[in-house]
Amino acid sequence: MVNSGRVQRGTGLLVAAPAFVAVILAAGFGGTVAAYEIGDPGAVMRWLVPLSGTLSVVGACGAVGYLLVGAFLTPETTRTHRRETAARGASLGLGVWLTGLVLTLIGTFADISGLRPSQPRFWSQFFGLAWELAPTRMAVISALIVAIALVTTLQRHGKTALAWCFFASWLALLPTALAGHSAVSRDHMSSINALAIHLLAATTWVGGLGALVAMRHTLQPHLGVTARRFSTVAGWSYAALGLSGLLAAWFNLRAVGDLASAYGAMLLVKVGAFVLLGIAGYLHRRSALAAPAALEASPTNARAFARLALGELVLMGVAIGTAVALSRTPPPASDRLAPDPTTVYEFTGYSDPGPPPDNAWLTAWHADWLWIAVSLLAIGVYAAWFRRLRLRGDRWPWWQLICWVTGWLVFLYAMCGAPGVYGRILFSWHMTMHMTIAMLVPLLLVPAAPITLALRAIPARHDATRGPRELILALVHSRYLQVLANPVVAAVIFFFSLATFYFTPLFFYALTTHTGHILMTVHFLLSGYLFTWVLIGTDPGPKRWPPVVLLVVLFATISFHAFLGVIITGSNNLLAPEFFGQLGLPWLPDPLADQARGGAIAWGVGEAPTLVLALLVTVAWLREDRRETERSDRRADRDHDAELAAYNDYLAGLGRGDKGGTR
């Protein structure tokens, strides 16, 4: 136990030491810790933010890495305690992370307020305003999630608990993307998305490798298989890290000459580390990981793997420190960005697109890179699974592949085309986007049966670890899905969440905040998919209800949906009045009339998908009836129609007045 703890701390220092050296050098070079002319909180507070930020990132890497290895990668036997070791390492990482977040919270508030903690007013204002200010609120949210994960890992060491904590740690990273200088880039929403993906990929890659090195003795004799599995995760992380970093650089730099700035120099350091790490990863896959069993068979191979991995961790530490300093440095493009004076930009962060032209359906476009990446990834993974089945001789219908691709292309158009562009400021276009995502897209995705395809294409694990296939099986057979897949529950979620959304402040937050907009989109898609799935889905899951009951649920839900559309159409009260009533668009004189159009869209657009759903449920009903008839005929052939003969005997007994004839 003591040796394991020493190895964990030693590996952590191997990343932390170069990270702190890099952040000190980069912060000093970039001028991010220079004294302020007005409201200077002092040198200690100026340095506290980048140093505590580095501490947070190092802790986050450790927590995410140990949770990844313990929950998903390493086998456990009756004679090993690897998950307990992973939970102990994760607890250490979470504790460091939480400490860094608390210090960052204090330093950020001092930076904003210009006060020092030694001043009498600091702490009273700190506790009164920490939740009100966006940068400090993000740190508070992350700290709360990390604290919950920390308590959990201290008490539970099972793979399910570690898996939940892993996803909670990912969630705790996301508020960090909303801070920093991403908001001053050319497209700050896409820049924020890129930073979020960058953080998730970096912590998973760095932390996973660190945990693998720290636990290399504990993982024997399964180090090879664990490392091989991590190699797949590292490959995806590397690709996500590179693409998100390229996207962020594109938005933060306006010209090649910007690379000569302090921001550009630090960016080049990160790029250099990224390239070297890619080379090291390639060497890993070519040598140590080419034959996983060699890591157990030869101590020399294991030592070579460890030496190469330790060198990678040092480079990763340099990249972490530089990245933290970079997040505190305004990009050079921010000095030349012309502020948008419109109310639209003030509310949404997007420029006023102007009145929609007659051909807006064909010409309006805004590249939302998050949903472009999600759509292309979904299509690419499904196509890869489809190809895998075809290559091994299994059949999978082409029409299901076409449905899946078409569904995601329609989703992409709804988010980036005219509904997405004008749906941010006009209720009628917003409702078009909503109906497309919640009703039309699921109608294309559900028949593609992605869960069935995944279960057939992804290889199973036989060592009781949870890979992608095992996670899918755990989900479809979970008690949570049994509750959610109840048709009545799915219908309630589909309708009442819609009513709750539009008639509460949630609608305003979805229109004005980046997080709210993403959560709104995810909810529309998932609630629509769930409702469609319980009606016509063929993927494995809870037992299906009889088709006649499903038809009743469908028509009842759509009736309520149409009624809501009628209410919106005839309402004299503006929804989200603090948004639509304050935009003051000169080309839209009456937002209430636009709201009425949106209500009519909600009322009318649902009719076609409802008809298709009803037809598909009816077809399923007829198929089930035909299958039952065929089963009955086969049974009659086997027993010479014994059931009919018994029924005839029963009728004959009744005709004779035989009271003993029963059926």
Side-chain angles (χ1 to χ4, degrees):
M1 293 294 184
V2 175
N3 291 336
S4 176
R6 287 178 178 173
V7 171
Q8 290 174 353
R9 290 190 292 272
T11 305
L13 289 174
L14 194 66
V15 178
F20 279 112
V21 172
V23 76
I24 291 171
L25 294 176
F29 173 73
T32 58
V33 291
Y36 306 157
E37 294 182 3
I38 300 176
D40 183 39
V44 174
M45 290 296 104
R46 293 197 307 271
W47 276 102
L48 179 62
V49 176
L51 292 177
S52 61
T54 304
L55 186 67
S56 294
V57 175
V58 171
C61 290
V64 171
Y66 279 110
L67 291 170
L68 172 69
V69 173
F72 304 115
L73 301 184
T74 185
E76 184 77 286
T77 68
T78 56
R79 292 176 293 180
T80 60
H81 304 281
R82 294 167 185 158
R83 293 199 178 98
E84 182 179 349
T85 302
R88 192 163 53 249
S91 299
L92 178 61
L94 289 166
V96 172
W97 189 2
L98 183 60
T99 302
L101 285 172
V102 172
L103 294 175
T104 300
L105 180 60
I106 296 172
T108 302
F109 183 78
D111 190 64
I112 295 173
S113 65
L115 299 175
R116 304 180 185 185
S118 58
Q119 294 178 273
R121 294 179 298 161
F122 180 88
W123 293 106
S124 60
Q125 293 191 21
F126 174 81
F127 289 110
L129 298 175
W131 184 256
E132 302 298 327
L133 302 172
T136 51
R137 182 167 62 247
M138 295 302 104
V140 170
I141 293 173
S142 293
L144 290 174
I145 299 174
V146 171
I148 294 172
L150 175 59
V151 172
T152 304
T153 54
L154 289 173
Q155 296 180 349
R156 297 182 178 274
H157 305 149
K159 60 183 178 182
T160 300
L162 294 182
W164 279 111
C165 289
F166 172 79
F167 291 116
S169 298
W170 262 16
L171 182 63
L173 287 167
L174 297 181
T176 307
L178 298 174
H181 289 280
S182 295
V184 298
S185 64
R186 285 184 290 171
D187 186 341
H188 66 275
M189 295 302 183
S190 293
S191 186
I192 288 172
N193 292 336
L195 179 57
I197 296 173
H198 208 68
L199 285 170
L200 294 178
T203 52
T204 303
W205 182 25
V206 177
L209 182 61
L212 204 63
V213 172
M215 295 179 63
R216 63 186 183 276
H217 300 299
T218 306
L219 293 175
Q220 294 288 7
H222 298 106
L223 176 60
V225 65
T226 307
R228 187 69 177 179
R229 289 170 179 170
F230 172 72
S231 179
T232 302
V233 176
W236 281 98
S237 299
Y238 188 81
L241 197 65
L243 292 175
S244 60
L246 181 64
L247 192 63
W250 171 260
F251 289 124
N252 289 323
L253 300 177
R254 297 296 298 268
V256 177
D258 288 341
L259 292 174
S261 64
Y263 185 94
M266 286 186 277
L267 186 62
L268 290 176
V269 172
K270 278 190 62 181
V271 171
F274 177 79
V275 172
L276 292 176
L277 287 169
I279 296 173
Y282 171 76
L283 294 176
H284 263 309
R285 291 187 65 88
R286 186 176 179 180
S287 56
L289 300 181
L295 289 179
E296 290 88 13
S298 171
T300 302
N301 291 337
R303 285 193 295 270
F305 164 80
R307 283 195 299 270
L308 186 56
L310 292 174
E312 286 185 77
L313 290 174
V314 172
L315 276 175
M316 289 173 172
V318 173
I320 287 173
T322 307
V324 172
L326 196 65
S327 69
R328 295 278 299 166
T329 305
S334 64
D335 297 333
R336 301 191 297 273
L337 289 176
D340 189 329
T342 63
T343 309
V344 173
Y345 186 84
E346 180 184 348
F347 272 113
T348 67
Y350 290 91
S351 298
D352 182 359
D358 295 336
N359 60 349
W361 290 98
L362 300 176
T363 60
W365 181 266
H366 174 78
D368 192 325
W369 293 102
L370 173 64
W371 302 121
I372 290 175
V374 169
S375 301
L376 294 180
L377 182 64
I379 292 173
V381 170
Y382 192 100
W385 290 341
F386 176 84
R387 181 174 180 271
R388 184 179 298 176
L389 260 64
R390 288 276 176 165
L391 288 178
R392 74 185 187 198
D394 293 341
R395 295 189 58 191
W396 189 263
W398 278 96
W399 68 266
Q400 288 184 296
L401 174 63
I402 294 172
C403 278
W404 183 258
V405 173
T406 305
W408 282 108
L409 292 179
V410 171
F411 171 81
L412 195 58
Y413 174 77
M415 297 307 301
C416 300
V421 171
Y422 292 100
R424 295 181 179 275
I425 53 176
L426 296 178
F427 185 83
S428 57
W429 287 89
H430 166 87
M431 190 56 71
T432 302
M433 178 186 69
H434 179 174
M435 292 296 101
T436 303
I437 295 173
M439 301 196 71
L440 180 57
V441 172
L443 199 57
L444 292 165
L445 297 182
V446 170
I451 296 176
T452 303
L453 177 62
L455 293 177
R456 292 182 60 184
I458 301 175
R461 291 186 182 180
H462 303 288
D463 54 9
T465 57
R466 282 187 175 170
R469 188 176 188 276
E470 289 71 27
L471 283 176
I472 294 173
L473 284 173
L475 174 63
V476 298
H477 296 302
S478 67
R479 290 175 294 178
Y480 306 105
L481 190 62
Q482 288 180 358
V483 174
L484 294 176
N486 182 302
V488 175
V489 175
V492 168
I493 293 174
F494 183 74
F495 170 72
F496 283 103
S497 64
L498 174 69
T500 302
F501 174 75
Y502 283 111
F503 290 98
T504 65
L506 292 175
F507 188 28
F508 173 78
Y509 292 125
L511 291 168
T512 57
T513 66
H514 183 57
T515 303
H517 186 74
I518 290 178
L519 292 177
M520 173 196 71
T521 303
V522 172
H523 175 75
F524 285 168
L525 183 62
L526 292 183
S527 61
Y529 189 97
L530 178 66
F531 181 65
T532 306
W533 184 62
V534 300
L535 295 176
I536 63 171
T538 58
D539 282 324
K543 185 178 180 180
R544 305 290 175 181
W545 284 25
V548 63
V549 180
L550 296 179
L551 284 175
V552 172
V553 172
L554 171 62
F555 287 117
T557 305
I558 297 304
S559 298
F560 283 116
H561 192 278
F563 180 66
L564 180 64
V566 172
I567 292 177
I568 295 176
T569 302
S571 176
N572 293 321
N573 297 319
L574 200 61
L575 299 177
E578 60 274 33
F579 179 80
F580 292 110
Q582 300 297 323
L583 285 180
L585 298 176
W587 46 271
L588 183 66
D590 189 359
L592 198 59
D594 182 67
Q595 178 177 297
R597 285 193 294 271
I601 291 171
W603 180 13
V605 170
E607 293 183 1
T610 301
L611 178 60
V612 174
L613 281 173
L615 288 174
L616 292 176
V617 173
T618 303
V619 168
W621 188 359
L622 294 175
R623 288 177 178 173
E624 182 179 329
D625 186 68
R626 184 174 65 250
R627 287 193 295 267
E628 181 60 33
T629 301
E630 292 173 352
R631 283 195 296 267
S632 179
D633 291 342
R634 288 194 297 269
R635 185 170 60 250
D637 291 339
R638 289 194 302 269
D639 59 14
H640 304 291
D641 217 349
E643 184 177 357
L644 179 61
Y647 184 68
N648 289 333
D649 291 343
Y650 168 74
L651 293 178
L654 290 178
R656 295 192 302 268
D658 186 0
K659 302 298 182 180
T662 59
R663 183 173 182 268

